[in-house]
Amino acid sequence: MNVRHLLALSATGAALLTGCGIRPTEVPTNFGPAPSRVHCSLSEPNVSTQAARGLPVQVFLLCGSQLVAVDRTVRVPDGTADSARRVLVAQGLLDELEATPSTAEKEAGYTTDVRGAMGVTGPRLGDPDETLRLSTAPSDLTSYALAQIVCTFSDSTAAEGDGSVILGGPTTTPPRRYECTDEVRTRPGSNEPPSTDV
């Protein structure tokens, strides 16, 4: 074997060892965000400061295709009757769900599917007392938005505290009781909140 052949083999071997022309990197590449970015994790808010701004509540935002609770506040005037208080809390929660996530929340991967400046009212004649009626029928919401609303409401003073909430729409269609289950929290896109007649 002459020198020319040896040089050609050496060049071929060197080419094989260097890979496919991709430069080495110190950061693992997984075609996703940089590994140093912390997803679905936010620093703890100052609870005393938060309480001074209103009633501390939690709303469920979307992050990594699942529901994650984040802290918010809702203003409810002192001395509000229980029935009116429930509706005020529910409207405040809806407003928070519709609001654009903060910069820190966006960077952590949080989003919301609740849109459209929805309103909420109390029960119609013949509805159970704890009914909340949305200005958009629950059946017209995306599975993500419905899951966000059901889990947020059922985990708040807007509901009875049993992990469910009675929701209706703006028409005379009877309301239904919706539940926030573990499956809904972990896969809201493929698991709509289960509901039953009331």
Side-chain angles (χ1 to χ4, degrees):
M1 186 178 288
N2 62 31
V3 175
R4 190 178 300 160
H5 284 116
L6 283 175
L7 287 174
L9 284 174
S10 297
T12 303
L16 288 172
L17 289 174
T18 57
C20 306
I22 298 173
R23 290 183 187 155
T25 175
E26 293 178 11
V27 179
T29 54
N30 62 358
F31 300 100
S36 60
R37 181 183 247 178
V38 179
H39 281 285
C40 305
S41 177
L42 295 168
S43 59
E44 292 295 321
N46 185 323
V47 176
S48 59
T49 303
Q50 204 178 46
R53 294 196 301 261
L55 176 71
V57 295
Q58 287 191 320
V59 299
F60 282 87
L61 297 182
L62 297 166
C63 192
S65 298
Q66 61 185 348
L67 296 183
V68 181
V70 297
D71 295 314
R72 292 286 192 271
T73 56
V74 171
R75 288 209 169 275
V76 179
D78 291 337
T80 304
D82 284 347
S83 57
R85 181 183 180 85
R86 287 182 57 254
V87 174
L88 283 174
V89 169
Q91 185 62 62
L93 293 170
L94 261 185
D95 294 342
E96 291 296 331
L97 285 172
E98 291 171 347
T100 302
S102 68
T103 301
E105 288 167 347
K106 283 182 184 175
E107 288 176 355
Y110 289 83
T111 62
T112 183
D113 212 45
V114 181
R115 298 180 179 87
M118 269 189 287
V120 61
T121 59
R124 291 175 180 266
L125 187 64
D127 287 348
D129 291 343
E130 62 270 27
T131 301
L132 294 169
R133 284 196 171 265
L134 304 173
S135 58
T136 300
S139 58
D140 291 340
L141 297 169
T142 66
S143 60
Y144 288 108
L146 183 59
Q148 283 184 261
I149 292 170
V150 167
C151 289
T152 296
F153 282 3
S154 66
D155 196 40
S156 75
T157 56
E160 296 298 299
D162 62 353
S164 70
V165 62
I166 298 176
L167 293 179
T171 66
T172 56
T173 303
R176 296 179 65 80
R177 182 180 293 278
Y178 293 85
E179 290 182 62
C180 178
T181 63
D182 289 339
E183 290 76 16
V184 171
R185 284 192 183 99
T186 55
R187 292 187 300 279
S190 54
N191 291 285
E192 284 204 354
S195 64
T196 53
D197 294 328
V198 292

